[in-house]
Amino acid sequence: MANKKLLLIDGNSVAFRAFFALHNALSKFTNQDGLHTNAIYGFNKMLDHILEIVQPTDALVAFDAGKTTFRTEMFDDYKGGRSKTPPELSEQMPYLRELLKGYGIKTYELANYEADDIIGTLSKQAEDAGYTVTVVTGDRDLTQLSSDKTTVSVTVKGVSEVEHYTPQHVQEKLGLKPAQIVDMKGLAGDTSDNYPGVTKVGEKTAIKLLQQYGTVEGVYAHLDDMKASKLKEHLIEDKDKAFLSKKLATINREAPIEVQLADVHYSGKNITTLVDFYERMNFQSFLKQMRASEGFEDKQEVKTITYEELTEKNLATLQTLKGPVSFYLELPDKNYHLSEFAGFGIGQKGTWFVSRNVDLLTSKTLKAFFTEKTHEVNVFDLKRTYVGLNRLGISFITGKNDILLQSYLLDTNDNSNDLGALAHRHGFLDIKTDEEVYGTGVKRQIPDDNEAFFKHLAAKLRAIEELVPQLQAELKENEQVDLYETIELPLALVLAKMEIAGIRVDTDRLEQMQSEFTERLSEIEQTIYNEAGETFNIKSTKQLGKILFEKLGLPSSKKTKTGYSTAVSVLEGLRGQAPIIDNILTYRQISKIQSTYVKGLLKVVHSTDQKVHTTYLQTLTQTGRLSSIDPNLQNIPIRLEEGRKIRQAFVPSHEKAKIFSSDYSQIELRVLAHITGDKNLQEAFKNDEDIHASTAVRIFGLKDASEVTPNIRRQAKAVNFGIVYGISDYGLSQNIGISRKQAKAFIDTYFQEFPGVKAYIDRIVASARDKGYVETIAHRRRYLPDINSSNHNQRSFAERTAMNTPIQGSAADIIKIAMIRMQKELETRNLETKMLLQVHDELIFEVPDEELSEIQELVPSVMDSAIKLDVPLKVESAFGKNWYDAK
DNA sequence: CTCCTCACG
DNA sequence: ACGTACGTGAGGAGG
């Protein structure tokens, strides 16, 4: 048995080290389900490193079995006073074992013994059998095991770096032989394991004594030779402690382990298990590493799949498909309004038809196929599919199950736009991700090779078919079938139609603004340079900070990670101290409008129709709101007049039409009144009071609304917002510039005046702790794993989210319902009016003049009756020749 | 690619 | 003693 190499790892100790090494990045290391993964990640790094160096033939990871061991029997306070293992670490332990399974490394634990003893016992057996042994641990005590055959590698700083202790290295570091470590511990004790040693004797003194007398026994044998001293007194006094501590420090090398050397052969990683594991842990870097490693393609056991290429000649074969089919249209670019068409696939139960030729979709055969009502069509991303087909002139396919939508509803974190990744997370592994097949970045490309491309298309069809019943069952389990069927699925088509309609942009107006702003900017720029006494990049916070706080010597208050903060809130505090400040604020404001809105918008206007076509992300936010990208039409300026003018560029696409806008008034506070059931809040809405004014009357103890000044109303408004966001005294004080104490007083009074709200907050946080998630009115769900975190910040954040999500999310539910009904009304009434935009609590339409009176009636009535709450919903409308005038 | 800043609800 | 409002997207700077 030449060259047997055994690797022994102290699992708990390394996990502990890994956890704390990556502790400040704790929140970054979470997977789709909110599980913390930093210790697993660190452990993995360490494993890769050590396996590379050691190249073991045998390996085992030992774990502690529990709190009580033979050592606690000897000394009950052994390891006493240690703080509990953080829950964020404990939750990772079972997964650590899974990781090790993937690595093909055996794990072992033994009741009443620590991992150290297992390692000590096995290493002794291995040494006797002629093995070379490497021990990995985060605990220096284990260096007592080092010998000419055993190296003890102790993690330093991070986890992937280790320090190798050979007997020589122990000698150099401590001036002791490995066997003397236990004597040192006996004399000096160990604070982390909480055993005492001799009073006033620390490592230094212990080493000196041992260099002279060899062992604890040696020290006491020569006690009489010592001169009288405090040290000698302490040694005499604490003799029992010294011997007990030595015993506690000594690793048991004869533990009754059942595992044998022959059982721990290391045969290497199981690629498939590890890939699955990494997917679930969301370890992208390790996945990438695996993909790059040799032989991965062969080992990844994607079940072979057969497909048939669809051509004009065999189109008729489609008739053999009966019942539900999977359909997939490949639009490789993120922006599907402009993407090329790469191909499509359709099929069921192992019969998969694929093609690069999307023109086949417009054939009579396919049209006939889809218009037969017998086919349920299942897809991934219905909105994308609908928009793509629409571009081909096809409008007859309606989806029944959209696994992207379903998966998002089940868990809002599960919103990746990759079918393969989604499938993996739901345990279906016979598919690769787009990145694996198409590549990434500039190299991303649909393969020229038919086989590779078609197989991937077929795998997607198969994944859809496999996942549909599973996801349906999970939705049912969560009582979310209604949410899916009556809200999200129909909404996907409504959104698709809005995106397709697009909104017309007056590019002449934008170009005119562009030249005006260019001129103004260069003027302000010159003034700023004069005031600064030099030219610099005003847009660079780094350079600006230097000018303001170093050269001009203005007082700096806030700092960011990388330097001085120059945010508006900071600059406003400096107003009046130097004229440059006002100019910088103006410059910032104008240049934001110029770059993001004027230039930004001009860049994305489609040359074919002079319109912008946004893309709504329906499966992104944690609350159920939509988001809008490319361009984002949900953050067009309105608060400041300068920016608001941008809205003049959004115009109807036909003459004799208007832009019409309706918005919900105070929808979030109304939802709050409904959900909390607070009588006072409900009363205010039922009486159609000015809600901020009535809040002001209550929290400032005024006689009536006549006493409310604008400033008081502003403060009350901030309190109302604070309540919706999950209030903190600090946040409120910052927002309205009052002391923290005052802010706290406001909040306390608010809770007295609106006791139902206080009760709701307590109730929802408790329920989140209990269930692990919160829900909206329509059963939209958000998981909050941090609600029980031991980290104050994370827990507080989760608590605020627990309060806010049902409010923001229910408001999102409501407007979504309104949108679906609105679209239906427009279609059944055969109106030309088009719904164009949704901005969270507002809907924007383009209305032909002759439909204006009908729409003015219809939209508010549909919106305020979308759902029945305990308080009325209020809708306000306006119209004009452009979006700016619709106010 | 991350940070800062700032636009919206 | 912590270090904060909730939810987003885009542009520019600088490593």
Side-chain angles (χ1 to χ4, degrees):
Chain A
M1 63 149 71
N3 286 332
K4 280 282 212 178
K5 290 189 206 159
L6 172 64
L7 174 65
L8 293 168
I9 298 173
D10 182 345
N12 292 79
S13 138
V14 171
F16 208 76
R17 285 299 175 107
F19 179 77
F20 284 103
L22 296 168
H23 192 249
N24 43 14
L26 184 59
S27 58
K28 278 191 192 155
F29 283 98
T30 51
N31 76 345
Q32 305 75 20
D33 306 324
L35 174 80
H36 293 92
T37 55
N38 64 331
I40 304 166
Y41 183 87
F43 203 107
N44 196 128
K45 279 264 175 203
M46 181 283 297
L47 267 183
D48 285 344
H49 178 70
I50 207 79
L51 287 171
E52 177 73 29
I53 309 179
V54 177
Q55 303 280 336
T57 55
D58 299 83
L60 178 117
V61 176
F63 285 100
D64 297 337
K67 273 191 100 170
T68 54
T69 63
F70 70 92
R71 289 188 181 84
T72 47
E73 280 166 33
M74 285 158 53
F75 179 60
D76 1 304
D77 225 14
Y78 178 72
K79 293 199 175 175
R82 248 191 208 192
S83 44
K84 260 208 333 237
T85 309
E88 293 84 356
L89 173 56
S90 325
E91 72 186 22
Q92 299 183 52
M93 298 309 283
Y95 297 95
L96 208 54
R97 289 169 192 260
E98 262 193 69
L99 171 76
L100 291 163
K101 202 172 243 173
Y103 266 84
I105 299 176
K106 202 175 169 72
T107 59
Y108 185 69
E109 63 190 54
L110 179 62
N112 281 321
Y113 291 85
E114 292 184 61
D116 299 8
D117 305 308
I118 299 168
I119 290 173
T121 307
L122 258 183
S123 66
K124 181 156 181 274
Q125 292 176 8
E127 287 186 358
D128 293 346
Y131 285 53
T132 310
V133 182
T134 303
V135 173
V136 182
T137 176
D139 185 350
R140 290 232 318 249
D141 295 4
L142 262 82
T143 55
Q144 65 182 273
L145 297 179
S146 78
S147 69
D148 56 344
K149 285 181 180 160
T150 298
T151 305
V152 179
S153 302
V154 181
T155 59
V156 286
K157 280 185 283 179
V159 270
S160 54
E161 279 178 62
V162 289
E163 188 174 0
H164 302 287
Y165 284 83
T166 57
Q168 293 86 330
H169 190 63
V170 174
Q171 187 71 42
E172 281 163 29
K173 286 282 265 206
L174 295 171
L176 297 176
K177 294 195 172 61
Q180 291 176 297
I181 301 278
V182 294
D183 296 287
M184 182 185 87
K185 291 274 159 188
L187 295 171
D190 185 313
T191 45
S192 82
D193 286 349
N194 198 41
Y195 54 82
V198 176
T199 310
K200 295 281 177 195
V201 173
E203 246 181 51
K204 288 268 159 60
T205 317
I207 290 169
K208 228 192 271 167
L209 287 166
L210 292 171
Q211 281 167 349
Q212 200 171 351
Y213 305 110
T215 60
V216 171
E217 290 78 3
V219 170
Y220 281 95
H222 293 88
L223 216 47
D224 297 341
D225 309 348
M226 291 185 198
K227 287 189 294 204
S229 68
K230 275 274 177 230
L231 172 63
K232 187 172 172 180
E233 283 172 35
H234 289 314
L235 282 168
I236 295 167
E237 179 77 13
D238 292 339
K239 184 171 177 181
D240 289 351
K241 284 186 188 164
F243 280 92
L244 173 66
S245 295
K246 177 172 175 176
K247 248 194 209 163
L248 289 170
T250 306
I251 289 171
N252 184 337
R253 306 198 72 173
E254 305 283 344
I257 56 171
E258 295 122 13
V259 68
Q260 294 182 354
L261 274 180
D263 301 338
V264 300
H265 179 66
Y266 173 66
S267 52
K269 300 176 185 180
N270 179 334
I271 306 275
T272 321
T273 316
L274 268 185
V275 167
D276 173 38
F277 181 73
Y278 289 157
E279 292 280 359
R280 285 188 290 125
M281 293 301 115
N282 198 18
F283 284 167
Q284 297 303 331
S285 63
F286 291 139
L287 278 169
K288 219 168 162 182
Q289 203 176 300
M290 301 274 306
R291 268 183 234 113
S293 72
E294 227 178 309
F296 173 70
E297 293 297 326
D298 313 330
K299 283 190 193 167
Q300 196 195 23
E301 294 154 13
V302 170
K303 241 189 287 168
T304 50
I305 191 157
T306 55
Y307 59 85
E308 188 175 336
E309 182 172 357
L310 205 58
T311 61
E312 277 169 39
K313 290 187 187 141
N314 65 2
L315 272 181
T317 332
L318 286 176
Q319 304 302 343
T320 57
L321 302 177
K322 298 277 183 269
V325 294
S326 299
F327 176 76
Y328 188 84
L329 176 64
E330 192 68 279
L331 293 152
D333 294 349
K334 196 173 175 208
N335 187 330
Y336 48 67
H337 296 292
L338 299 166
S339 174
E340 55 158 342
F341 294 94
F344 72 97
I346 185 166
Q348 62 178 203
K349 301 176 205 146
T351 304
W352 314 115
F353 297 101
V354 295
S355 171
R356 290 183 189 266
N357 179 13
V358 293
D359 289 337
L360 292 177
L361 288 165
T362 57
S363 65
K364 279 208 178 100
T365 322
L366 259 141
K367 179 160 186 174
F369 178 82
F370 280 118
T371 37
E372 274 176 41
K373 292 271 192 285
T374 52
H375 292 294
E376 246 177 39
V377 182
N378 299 325
V379 298
F380 169 87
D381 199 346
L382 177 60
K383 179 160 68 71
R384 189 182 192 84
T385 310
Y386 186 95
V387 171
L389 289 173
N390 180 267
R391 286 174 54 202
L392 295 168
I394 303 165
S395 57
F396 43 79
I397 295 179
T398 50
K400 165 86 175 167
N401 290 289
D402 176 347
I403 60 168
L404 173 64
L405 274 179
Q406 292 174 331
S407 160
Y408 166 72
L409 293 182
L410 291 168
D411 184 344
T412 49
N413 296 307
D414 200 351
N415 58 5
S416 111
N417 280 314
D418 189 279
L419 205 172
L422 183 149
H424 295 168
R425 275 198 301 282
H426 287 95
F428 183 81
L429 301 177
D430 290 327
I431 182 171
K432 295 183 189 178
T433 63
D434 282 347
E435 202 180 300
E436 282 169 307
V437 183
Y438 302 157
T440 174
V442 284
K443 284 192 239 155
R444 184 180 155 98
Q445 194 203 328
I446 299 292
D448 291 332
D449 173 31
N450 273 351
E451 174 90 4
F453 180 46
F454 288 159
K455 268 194 168 176
H456 189 47
L457 280 182
K460 287 185 173 188
L461 296 171
R462 178 173 63 185
I464 293 168
E465 183 173 279
E466 294 277 337
L467 287 169
V468 160
Q470 186 186 328
L471 298 183
Q472 277 179 330
E474 290 179 39
L475 285 172
K476 197 169 171 202
E477 174 82 12
N478 287 3
E479 300 183 315
Q480 291 182 304
V481 175
D482 239 37
L483 169 64
Y484 172 73
E485 287 180 354
T486 68
I487 301 184
E488 297 300 333
L489 183 69
L491 182 72
L493 296 186
V494 173
L495 293 173
K497 289 170 188 168
M498 291 165 69
E499 293 177 8
I500 291 164
I503 182 163
R504 179 72 170 269
V505 172
D506 180 348
T507 49
D508 293 344
R509 179 79 189 95
L510 286 181
E511 274 156 11
Q512 183 195 342
M513 292 175 83
Q514 181 169 14
S515 48
E516 282 170 24
F517 286 138
T518 305
E519 201 168 314
R520 270 187 77 186
L521 281 171
S522 72
E523 276 172 31
I524 306 171
E525 200 177 272
Q526 281 313 315
T527 321
I528 291 174
Y529 293 158
N530 286 337
E531 285 161 345
E534 64 182 284
T535 63
F536 65 101
N537 187 345
I538 307 168
K539 293 189 193 105
S540 160
T541 50
K542 206 175 157 194
Q543 295 181 34
L544 180 63
K546 223 169 156 187
I547 296 281
L548 293 181
F549 303 118
E550 289 174 19
K551 184 162 183 187
L552 299 179
L554 292 165
S556 71
S557 44
K558 246 170 71 184
K559 286 244 177 181
T560 65
K561 266 183 243 171
T562 48
Y564 304 107
S565 168
T566 65
V568 166
S569 62
V570 174
L571 296 186
E572 258 163 8
L574 299 170
R575 263 199 160 136
Q577 298 199 36
I580 196 173
I581 298 293
D582 274 327
N583 289 319
I584 289 164
L585 286 168
T586 315
Y587 182 88
R588 280 251 181 94
Q589 197 196 320
I590 306 287
S591 100
K592 169 81 178 178
I593 300 168
Q594 178 80 311
S595 62
T596 306
Y597 297 103
V598 179
K599 290 186 178 174
L601 226 38
L602 282 170
K603 262 188 275 184
V604 291
V605 174
H606 288 218
S607 54
T608 47
D609 57 7
Q610 295 282 93
K611 287 175 170 182
V612 284
H613 300 267
T614 187
T615 297
Y616 288 105
L617 302 183
Q618 196 184 349
T619 58
L620 181 132
T621 69
Q622 295 300 307
T623 54
R625 274 191 176 181
L626 300 175
S627 90
S628 153
I629 58 167
D630 199 13
N632 179 359
L633 294 179
Q634 292 181 319
N635 71 346
I636 302 302
I638 190 165
R639 292 171 190 168
L640 299 172
E641 181 56 27
E642 301 264 29
R644 191 173 194 159
K645 293 236 159 64
I646 292 288
R647 293 178 176 229
Q648 292 171 342
F650 290 88
V651 296
S653 62
H654 297 102
E655 282 185 32
K656 296 188 181 158
K658 299 282 182 285
I659 298 292
F660 179 91
S661 158
S662 287
D663 68 282
Y664 282 111
S665 161
Q666 310 295 358
I667 189 164
E668 292 196 348
L669 287 171
R670 285 170 200 266
V671 169
L672 179 76
H674 172 82
I675 292 185
T676 62
D678 185 276
K679 289 291 166 254
N680 292 340
L681 203 51
Q682 292 194 353
E683 211 43 44
F685 282 121
K686 283 177 184 162
N687 297 334
D688 196 22
E689 291 168 22
D690 171 344
I691 190 65
H692 301 315
S694 10
T695 303
V697 169
R698 286 190 175 272
I699 62 181
F700 292 104
L702 309 177
K703 216 164 56 230
D704 58 56
S706 69
E707 293 186 349
V708 178
T709 66
N711 188 44
I712 283 181
R713 185 177 180 280
R714 189 181 61 83
Q715 299 205 355
K717 186 173 169 180
V719 174
N720 279 332
F721 268 96
I723 296 294
V724 170
Y725 292 156
I727 201 153
S728 80
D729 50 10
Y730 178 85
L732 180 62
S733 73
Q734 285 296 298
N735 195 294
I736 50 178
I738 55 173
S739 76
R740 206 168 153 161
K741 212 171 143 192
Q742 247 180 321
K744 186 164 179 348
F746 286 1
I747 296 166
D748 288 345
T749 319
Y750 182 96
F751 285 146
Q752 273 167 33
E753 294 295 321
F754 301 100
V757 176
K758 176 79 174 95
Y760 161 76
I761 291 175
D762 296 342
R763 190 166 70 238
I764 194 76
V765 170
S767 152
R769 278 200 196 112
D770 182 38
K771 294 184 183 161
Y773 62 87
V774 291
E775 277 183 322
T776 66
I777 294 176
H779 296 289
R780 189 184 304 284
R781 191 178 272 215
R782 179 178 187 176
Y783 290 93
L784 299 169
D786 285 346
I787 198 86
N788 291 310
S789 166
S790 64
N791 178 310
H792 173 269
N793 277 333
Q794 288 178 9
R795 193 177 58 249
S796 304
F797 184 67
E799 287 167 0
R800 292 197 293 273
T801 334
M803 304 175 219
N804 174 263
T805 297
I807 313 282
Q808 192 182 114
S810 298
D813 294 343
I814 294 170
I815 196 165
K816 283 179 169 178
I817 294 167
M819 290 166 77
I820 294 159
R821 300 215 180 141
M822 198 58 231
Q823 183 64 31
K824 199 170 164 211
E825 285 295 333
L826 292 177
E827 285 170 15
T828 53
R829 292 172 184 230
N830 278 316
L831 293 168
E832 283 300 307
T833 294
K834 296 262 185 295
M835 184 156 50
L836 303 181
L837 303 174
Q838 187 252 45
V839 192
H840 309 307
D841 62 357
E842 176 184 18
L843 296 176
I844 292 119
F845 301 82
E846 173 177 319
V847 187
D849 290 345
E850 63 272 18
E851 293 178 7
L852 207 49
S853 57
E854 184 173 357
I855 288 295
Q856 270 181 288
E857 182 76 27
L858 179 63
V859 176
S861 81
V862 168
M863 284 174 73
D864 68 30
S865 66
I867 196 168
K868 180 92 190 77
L869 298 184
D870 293 344
V871 293
L873 286 173
K874 189 175 173 183
V875 177
E876 291 169 345
S877 307
F879 66 91
K881 64 176 187 297
N882 56 47
W883 195 3
Y884 178 92
D885 287 332
K887 62 175 176 185

